[in-house]
C-alpha cells in the first residue's frame, strides 16, 4: 500500500494540513471555604485572542458585552492552556449571570463554546 506524499504548501483548513480551529471552553463554579469565590476554569485548545468575563445582576447571563460589567480579562495565548479566574463574592448581591466573551466582536480563527445558561448563574 502506498502513502501519498504531500509537497508544497498545504491549503489552510485542509484535512492534509491537520489544522483545527482552536476553541475555548469554560466552567463556572463556587469554591473556597463558605463558597465565597466564583471560579471560572478556562481551557483553550490552541492560540486564541483576549477574553473578558462579564457579569450582570440577576439569573440571566449576558449575551453581549453591552448588557453587563467587566469582571476580569485573560490575555491572548499562542498555545493550548488551562487558566483560572477567581472572583471574591464577599458582599456581592447574588444571583449573577456571567459569560466569557472574546474582546473582539467577531474573532477569526477560533471560537468560544459556552456552558448552558443555567450553569452561568452564580447563586
Amino acid at each position: 500500500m502506498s502513502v501519498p506524499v504531500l509537497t508544497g504548501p498545504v491549503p489552510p483548513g485542509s484535512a492534509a494540513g491537520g489544522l483545527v480551529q482552536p476553541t475555548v471552553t469554560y466552567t463556572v463554579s463556587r469554591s473556597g471555604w463558605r463558597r465565597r469565590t466564583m471560579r471560572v476554569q478556562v481551557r483553550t485548545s490552541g492560540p486564541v485572542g483576549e477574553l473578558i468575563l462579564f457579569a450582570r445582576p440577576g439569573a440571566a447571563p449576558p449575551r453581549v458585552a453591552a448588557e453587563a460589567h467587566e469582571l476580569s480579562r485573560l490575555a491572548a495565548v499562542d498555545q493550548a492552556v488551562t487558566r483560572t479566574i477567581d472572583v471574591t463574592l464577599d458582599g456581592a448581591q447574588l444571583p449573577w449571570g456571567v459569560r466569557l466573551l472574546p474582546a473582539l466582536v467577531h474573532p477569526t480563527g477560533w471560537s468560544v463554546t459556552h456552558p448552558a445558561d443555567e450553569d452561568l448563574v452564580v447563586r
Side-chain angles (χ1 to χ4, degrees):
M1 178 171 134
S2 67
V3 177
V5 176
L6 298 175
T7 59
V10 177
S14 73
L19 298 177
V20 176
Q21 178 177 341
T23 59
V24 174
T25 58
Y26 65 102
T27 58
V28 178
S29 62
R30 299 270 303 263
S31 67
W33 189 64
R34 293 189 178 181
R35 297 171 39 98
R36 293 302 213 177
T37 301
M38 174 181 65
R39 175 162 288 161
V40 181
Q41 191 81 29
V42 182
R43 292 174 190 83
T44 61
S45 65
V48 298
E50 184 178 27
L51 295 161
I52 304 172
L53 179 64
F54 288 97
R56 72 175 178 184
R63 294 267 173 222
V64 295
E67 297 177 349
H69 299 286
E70 180 180 321
L71 284 182
S72 184
R73 285 182 179 250
L74 289 175
V77 294
D78 60 0
Q79 62 186 351
V81 295
T82 299
R83 299 182 284 176
T84 303
I85 300 170
D86 286 332
V87 177
T88 302
L89 297 173
D90 287 334
Q93 297 294 317
L94 299 178
W96 280 357
V98 301
R99 190 174 303 269
L100 190 67
L101 296 170
L104 296 175
V105 176
H106 300 289
T108 56
W110 59 279
S111 64
V112 178
T113 302
H114 302 281
D117 280 0
E118 58 268 10
D119 296 332
L120 295 174
V121 178
V122 180
R123 299 181 190 282

